[in-house]
Amino acid sequence: MNQNQRVKLSKLMSVALRHDPASFSLTLDQDGWIPLATLVAGLQTRPGWGWIQPDDVREVVETSDKQRFELVEERIRARYGHSQAARPSYQPVEPPAILYHGTPRRNLSLIRRSGLKPMTR
């Protein structure tokens, strides 16, 4: 698979796992996981994507510099950016002594006054 195909497949996987799984006839669990074989079957329903195999999806996961997807024991999910109800849950941990948070300067005074708050992302 060439770089152009990997990018296009990554975008298709993002739609399937983050934004509109129903359009692929996919149902994610409460943490956004789905069996790899089920994802591949859903992707294959799209015109021009019948050639997709599990190894192609693995290649996207392994070569992506953005690390958008997580693959564990033949189950896959999007790591972040869900616009659907399924959002990964994580165990709380003690934050490090120094924690970095990227934010626009215009928000800095509000964050200093009220702290970081969970938002829509």
Side-chain angles (χ1 to χ4, degrees), residues 33-116:
W33 291 102
I34 191 164
L36 176 60
T38 303
L39 172 64
V40 170
L43 296 174
Q44 290 173 339
T45 65
R46 292 296 168 109
W49 291 98
W51 58 271
I52 295 296
Q53 295 299 311
D55 283 343
D56 299 312
V57 173
R58 284 187 194 93
E59 183 177 334
V60 168
V61 173
E62 293 168 4
T63 61
S64 171
D65 58 342
K66 296 182 181 179
Q67 296 296 297
R68 289 188 170 126
F69 309 103
E70 185 174 11
L71 181 62
V72 177
E73 298 178 1
E74 297 303 303
R75 291 173 16 118
I76 188 168
R77 72 176 175 181
R79 289 184 184 226
Y80 54 84
H82 293 262
S83 57
Q84 299 297 305
R87 296 172 191 262
S89 60
Y90 300 98
Q91 296 298 319
V93 296
E94 189 68 30
I98 297 175
L99 180 64
Y100 295 92
H101 173 71
T103 191
R105 289 188 187 275
R106 67 181 178 273
N107 298 339
L108 189 55
S109 63
L110 177 62
I111 290 172
R112 285 185 171 150
R113 281 195 314 272
S114 60
L116 292 174

Side-chain angles (χ1 to χ4, degrees), residues 11 13-22 28 80-84:
K11 290 180 180 186
M13 289 166 54
S14 289
V15 174
L17 295 172
R18 295 169 58 193
H19 306 300
D20 195 10
L28 311 178
Y80 54 84
H82 293 262
S83 57
Q84 299 297 305

